[in-house]
Amino acid sequence: MTSDLARQARTALERLFEAAQPSPGALMVLGGSTSALQGRRIGKAGRPMLAREVLEGMMGPLAHAGIELAVQGCEHINRALVVARPVAERYALHEVRVVPVPGAGGSLAAVWRTLLNDPVVVEDLRQQATLGLDLGGVLIGMHLRPVVVPVHFADLRVGEARVSGGYSRPPLVGGARAVYSEEEADRILNEALR
């Protein structure tokens, strides 16, 4: 039986996917506080069972979409992240030596480590993540590739935690005459060809 927390986490993830339209193989960052999930102050009431519920709620949609997950630890480990070793190798991420635990790394990172076959902890994602979810205001933006488009979930909470998210889009370059829509570019070209 799926818990309310797992369902809420899955809903948040599905809504992020709907907004971001990620491609298979994309890297996603998840940051969160199990204290915030309970309506408590961040870092004061960590609960690994809540982390397991959240992650189990997300694992199916992540696998179905082919999205790789990096789970951010807390500031006690400098927001290092837990990823599968193949992800670290694919993105040439710098491995660090620390094992996240509740109270020093956070419950989400600690549990994610146990759910992976070959986990490693990396210093950062080198801004390679193209989407992310933040459960409880723990700040994940430093791991996202610029330019980040915020996704607001005003009507959604996971447990008691506020949810925010974002995804990356390519930077817009050019000046006053630059065109950003393929449809508009086709229209202009077709007019010029008449």
Side-chain angles (χ1 to χ4, degrees):
M1 183 158 105
T2 305
S3 73
D4 286 342
L5 206 56
R7 277 191 294 278
Q8 293 164 349
R10 181 183 185 110
T11 298
L13 184 63
E14 289 170 346
R15 287 178 56 186
L16 178 64
F17 285 177
E18 188 177 300
Q21 299 292 306
S23 300
L27 181 58
M28 177 183 153
V29 61
L30 171 66
S33 165
T34 57
S35 298
L37 297 179
Q38 302 167 76
R40 308 272 308 272
R41 187 170 159 216
I42 292 175
K44 298 301 179 189
R47 297 221 13 233
M49 284 305 299
L50 299 180
R52 183 174 300 277
E53 289 179 44
V54 166
L55 290 164
E56 287 176 351
M58 293 182 167
M59 288 174 73
L62 286 165
H64 180 74
I67 304 300
E68 300 289 356
L69 184 64
V71 177
Q72 176 182 278
C74 71
E75 70 275 10
H76 295 102
I77 62 169
N78 296 334
R79 292 188 178 17
L81 304 105
V82 178
V83 297
R85 184 174 300 282
V87 171
E89 291 170 354
R90 181 177 325 125
Y91 290 99
L93 303 176
H94 298 128
E95 185 176 348
V96 293
R97 185 72 189 130
V98 67
V99 180
V101 296
S107 294
L108 278 167
V111 171
W112 185 236
R113 184 188 66 78
T114 68
L115 295 174
L116 293 173
N117 289 328
D118 191 7
V120 296
V121 179
V122 296
E123 183 174 29
D124 61 43
L125 298 178
R126 305 175 111 195
Q127 294 184 328
Q128 292 301 304
T130 56
L131 68 160
L133 271 179
D134 183 330
L135 309 178
V138 297
L139 304 177
I140 61 164
M142 76 283 291
H143 298 299
L144 294 170
R145 179 183 302 158
V147 172
V148 178
V149 177
V151 178
H152 300 286
F153 302 99
D155 62 328
L156 180 65
R157 289 184 181 263
V158 176
E160 298 297 317
R162 293 180 188 268
V163 180
S164 61
Y167 62 92
S168 300
R169 66 154 173 79
L172 303 177
V173 297
R177 291 188 269 176
V179 175
Y180 303 108
S181 156
E182 289 188 26
E183 293 81 14
E184 179 67 8
D186 291 343
R187 185 192 65 73
I188 293 169
L189 180 60
N190 287 334
E191 282 183 14
L193 290 171
R194 289 187 200 165

